[in-house]
Short mmCIF file of all heavy atoms in Angstrom, two decimals:
data_model
loop_
_atom_site.label_atom_id
_atom_site.label_comp_id
_atom_site.label_asym_id
_atom_site.label_seq_id
_atom_site.Cartn_x
_atom_site.Cartn_y
_atom_site.Cartn_z
N LEU A 126 54.96 62.63 152.43
CA LEU A 126 55.00 62.98 153.85
C LEU A 126 53.91 62.25 154.57
O LEU A 126 54.03 61.88 155.71
CB LEU A 126 54.89 64.51 154.02
CG LEU A 126 56.18 65.32 153.84
CD1 LEU A 126 55.86 66.77 153.64
CD2 LEU A 126 57.15 65.06 155.01
N PHE A 159 54.79 65.21 159.93
CA PHE A 159 55.87 64.69 160.76
C PHE A 159 56.57 65.86 161.50
O PHE A 159 57.10 66.74 160.81
CB PHE A 159 56.84 63.98 159.85
CG PHE A 159 58.05 63.31 160.49
CD1 PHE A 159 57.89 62.01 160.98
CD2 PHE A 159 59.25 63.95 160.67
CE1 PHE A 159 59.00 61.37 161.54
CE2 PHE A 159 60.31 63.32 161.28
CZ PHE A 159 60.17 62.02 161.72
N CYS A 160 56.45 65.91 162.79
CA CYS A 160 56.95 67.08 163.51
C CYS A 160 58.09 66.71 164.45
O CYS A 160 57.80 66.28 165.64
CB CYS A 160 55.85 67.66 164.39
SG CYS A 160 54.41 68.22 163.45
N LEU A 161 59.30 66.79 163.98
CA LEU A 161 60.43 66.53 164.84
C LEU A 161 61.20 67.84 165.09
O LEU A 161 61.42 68.20 166.24
CB LEU A 161 61.35 65.50 164.13
CG LEU A 161 62.73 65.19 164.76
CD1 LEU A 161 62.55 64.64 166.18
CD2 LEU A 161 63.51 64.19 163.88
N THR A 162 61.48 68.55 164.03
CA THR A 162 62.36 69.77 164.18
C THR A 162 61.67 70.86 164.98
O THR A 162 60.46 71.02 164.86
CB THR A 162 62.64 70.30 162.75
OG1 THR A 162 63.17 69.24 162.02
CG2 THR A 162 63.64 71.41 162.79
N HIS A 166 66.11 73.56 167.79
CA HIS A 166 66.84 72.24 167.64
C HIS A 166 66.41 71.52 166.42
O HIS A 166 65.21 71.20 166.22
CB HIS A 166 66.57 71.34 168.87
CG HIS A 166 67.34 71.81 170.08
ND1 HIS A 166 66.76 72.57 171.08
CD2 HIS A 166 68.62 71.67 170.41
CE1 HIS A 166 67.70 72.83 171.96
NE2 HIS A 166 68.82 72.33 171.60
N GLY A 167 67.42 71.28 165.52
CA GLY A 167 67.14 70.53 164.29
C GLY A 167 67.96 69.26 164.36
O GLY A 167 67.48 68.18 164.61
N SER A 168 69.25 69.38 164.06
CA SER A 168 70.14 68.19 164.04
C SER A 168 70.19 67.50 165.40
O SER A 168 70.21 66.25 165.43
CB SER A 168 71.57 68.62 163.60
OG SER A 168 71.52 69.31 162.38
N VAL A 196 58.68 73.30 163.94
CA VAL A 196 58.84 74.10 162.70
C VAL A 196 59.14 73.15 161.53
O VAL A 196 59.47 71.97 161.69
CB VAL A 196 59.94 75.17 162.77
CG1 VAL A 196 59.50 76.30 163.62
CG2 VAL A 196 61.25 74.53 163.19
N TRP A 197 58.86 73.62 160.35
CA TRP A 197 59.20 72.98 159.06
C TRP A 197 58.33 71.77 158.69
O TRP A 197 58.57 71.18 157.67
CB TRP A 197 60.68 72.54 159.05
CG TRP A 197 61.63 73.67 158.69
CD1 TRP A 197 62.57 74.21 159.50
CD2 TRP A 197 61.70 74.37 157.44
NE1 TRP A 197 63.20 75.22 158.84
CE2 TRP A 197 62.68 75.34 157.57
CE3 TRP A 197 60.98 74.30 156.26
CZ2 TRP A 197 63.01 76.21 156.56
CZ3 TRP A 197 61.34 75.15 155.23
CH2 TRP A 197 62.34 76.08 155.37
N SER A 198 57.39 71.43 159.53
CA SER A 198 56.60 70.28 159.26
C SER A 198 55.77 70.43 157.99
O SER A 198 54.85 71.20 157.94
CB SER A 198 55.72 69.95 160.48
OG SER A 198 54.88 68.83 160.16
N GLY A 199 56.05 69.63 156.96
CA GLY A 199 55.32 69.74 155.71
C GLY A 199 53.91 69.13 155.81
O GLY A 199 53.70 68.18 156.55
N PHE A 254 59.20 73.38 146.52
CA PHE A 254 58.78 73.31 147.91
C PHE A 254 57.84 74.47 148.33
O PHE A 254 57.27 74.47 149.39
CB PHE A 254 59.99 73.16 148.90
CG PHE A 254 60.38 71.74 149.00
CD1 PHE A 254 61.31 71.18 148.16
CD2 PHE A 254 59.75 70.89 149.92
CE1 PHE A 254 61.63 69.81 148.24
CE2 PHE A 254 60.05 69.55 150.02
CZ PHE A 254 61.04 69.02 149.18
N ASN A 259 54.80 74.06 154.74
CA ASN A 259 55.68 73.79 155.94
C ASN A 259 55.10 74.66 157.05
O ASN A 259 54.98 75.88 156.92
CB ASN A 259 57.12 74.14 155.67
CG ASN A 259 57.74 73.19 154.70
OD1 ASN A 259 57.85 73.44 153.53
ND2 ASN A 259 58.13 71.99 155.19
N PRO A 447 66.97 71.81 149.30
CA PRO A 447 66.83 71.41 150.69
C PRO A 447 67.04 69.89 150.99
O PRO A 447 67.13 69.49 152.16
CB PRO A 447 65.39 71.76 151.00
CG PRO A 447 64.68 71.84 149.69
CD PRO A 447 65.69 72.21 148.69
N THR A 450 69.60 69.23 153.37
CA THR A 450 69.31 69.59 154.76
C THR A 450 68.28 68.72 155.49
O THR A 450 68.52 68.30 156.65
CB THR A 450 68.82 71.06 154.84
OG1 THR A 450 69.80 71.89 154.20
CG2 THR A 450 68.57 71.51 156.25
N PHE A 451 67.17 68.38 154.74
CA PHE A 451 66.16 67.63 155.55
C PHE A 451 66.48 66.17 155.65
O PHE A 451 67.34 65.67 155.03
CB PHE A 451 64.76 67.86 155.00
CG PHE A 451 64.49 67.67 153.56
CD1 PHE A 451 64.84 66.53 152.90
CD2 PHE A 451 63.82 68.67 152.83
CE1 PHE A 451 64.57 66.33 151.56
CE2 PHE A 451 63.50 68.47 151.46
CZ PHE A 451 63.91 67.35 150.82
N GLU A 452 65.75 65.54 156.60
CA GLU A 452 66.02 64.15 156.98
C GLU A 452 67.47 63.95 157.43
O GLU A 452 68.11 62.93 157.17
CB GLU A 452 65.67 63.16 155.86
CG GLU A 452 64.27 63.15 155.42
CD GLU A 452 63.40 62.24 156.18
OE1 GLU A 452 63.92 61.44 156.96
OE2 GLU A 452 62.16 62.34 156.06
N GLY A 453 67.99 64.97 158.08
CA GLY A 453 69.38 64.93 158.51
C GLY A 453 70.26 65.81 157.68
O GLY A 453 70.40 65.57 156.52
N GLU A 454 70.81 66.85 158.31
CA GLU A 454 71.72 67.78 157.55
C GLU A 454 72.91 66.96 157.16
O GLU A 454 73.46 66.13 157.90
CB GLU A 454 72.08 68.92 158.53
CG GLU A 454 72.56 70.18 157.83
CD GLU A 454 73.99 70.09 157.33
OE1 GLU A 454 74.78 69.35 157.97
OE2 GLU A 454 74.28 70.69 156.30
N ASN A 456 76.21 67.26 156.68
CA ASN A 456 77.45 67.13 157.43
C ASN A 456 77.27 66.34 158.70
O ASN A 456 78.17 65.64 159.14
CB ASN A 456 77.96 68.55 157.79
CG ASN A 456 78.97 69.04 156.72
OD1 ASN A 456 79.28 68.36 155.80
ND2 ASN A 456 79.47 70.28 156.92
N ILE A 457 76.11 66.55 159.29
CA ILE A 457 75.80 65.79 160.53
C ILE A 457 75.67 64.30 160.24
O ILE A 457 76.20 63.44 160.98
CB ILE A 457 74.47 66.33 161.20
CG1 ILE A 457 74.58 67.83 161.43
CG2 ILE A 457 74.12 65.58 162.47
CD1 ILE A 457 75.53 68.27 162.50
N GLN A 460 78.85 62.43 159.80
CA GLN A 460 79.50 62.05 161.07
C GLN A 460 78.96 60.79 161.67
O GLN A 460 79.70 60.02 162.24
CB GLN A 460 79.25 63.18 162.07
CG GLN A 460 79.95 64.51 161.78
CD GLN A 460 79.82 65.49 162.89
OE1 GLN A 460 79.77 65.17 164.05
NE2 GLN A 460 79.64 66.80 162.53
N ASN A 537 84.71 66.41 167.47
CA ASN A 537 84.55 67.59 166.66
C ASN A 537 85.89 68.02 165.95
O ASN A 537 85.88 68.42 164.81
CB ASN A 537 84.08 68.82 167.44
CG ASN A 537 82.66 68.59 167.88
OD1 ASN A 537 81.89 67.89 167.20
ND2 ASN A 537 82.26 69.20 169.01
C1 FAD B 18 62.13 72.11 152.84
C2 FAD B 18 62.27 71.52 154.20
C3 FAD B 18 61.34 70.61 154.65
C4 FAD B 18 61.43 70.07 155.99
N1 FAD B 18 60.46 69.20 156.44
C5 FAD B 18 60.46 68.82 157.71
C6 FAD B 18 59.37 68.01 158.23
O1 FAD B 18 58.42 67.69 157.52
N2 FAD B 18 59.41 67.69 159.54
C7 FAD B 18 60.49 68.03 160.35
O2 FAD B 18 60.46 67.70 161.53
N3 FAD B 18 61.52 68.76 159.88
C8 FAD B 18 61.54 69.15 158.58
N4 FAD B 18 62.56 69.89 158.13
C9 FAD B 18 63.65 70.30 159.01
C10 FAD B 18 64.96 69.59 158.78
O3 FAD B 18 64.87 68.25 159.07
C11 FAD B 18 66.10 70.31 159.54
O4 FAD B 18 66.26 71.57 158.87
C12 FAD B 18 67.36 69.57 159.56
O5 FAD B 18 67.28 68.44 160.38
C13 FAD B 18 68.57 70.37 159.97
O6 FAD B 18 68.30 70.99 161.22
P1 FAD B 18 68.49 72.61 161.39
O7 FAD B 18 67.84 73.29 160.23
O8 FAD B 18 68.06 72.99 162.70
O9 FAD B 18 70.04 72.87 161.22
P2 FAD B 18 71.19 72.91 162.43
O10 FAD B 18 71.08 71.66 163.15
O11 FAD B 18 70.97 74.19 163.16
O12 FAD B 18 72.43 72.96 161.51
C14 FAD B 18 72.90 74.24 160.94
C15 FAD B 18 74.34 74.01 160.51
O13 FAD B 18 75.16 73.75 161.60
C16 FAD B 18 75.97 72.61 161.40
N5 FAD B 18 76.18 71.89 162.63
C17 FAD B 18 75.32 71.64 163.63
N6 FAD B 18 75.89 70.90 164.52
C18 FAD B 18 77.17 70.62 164.11
C19 FAD B 18 78.27 69.84 164.70
N7 FAD B 18 78.15 69.15 165.81
N8 FAD B 18 79.34 69.75 163.95
C20 FAD B 18 79.45 70.40 162.76
N9 FAD B 18 78.50 71.16 162.24
C21 FAD B 18 77.33 71.25 162.90
C22 FAD B 18 75.12 71.79 160.37
O14 FAD B 18 75.94 70.91 159.64
C23 FAD B 18 74.53 72.89 159.52
O15 FAD B 18 75.48 73.26 158.55
C24 FAD B 18 62.51 70.42 156.81
C25 FAD B 18 63.50 71.33 156.33
C26 FAD B 18 63.39 71.89 155.04
C27 FAD B 18 64.44 72.87 154.61
#
Side-chain angles (χ1 to χ4, degrees):
L126 280 165
F159 184 87
C160 302
L161 173 60
T162 308
H166 287 97
S168 305
V196 288
W197 279 113
S198 174
F254 275 90
N259 290 98
T450 302
F451 52 51
E452 298 275 348
E454 202 283 328
N456 266 359
I457 303 290
Q460 294 186 35
N537 291 333

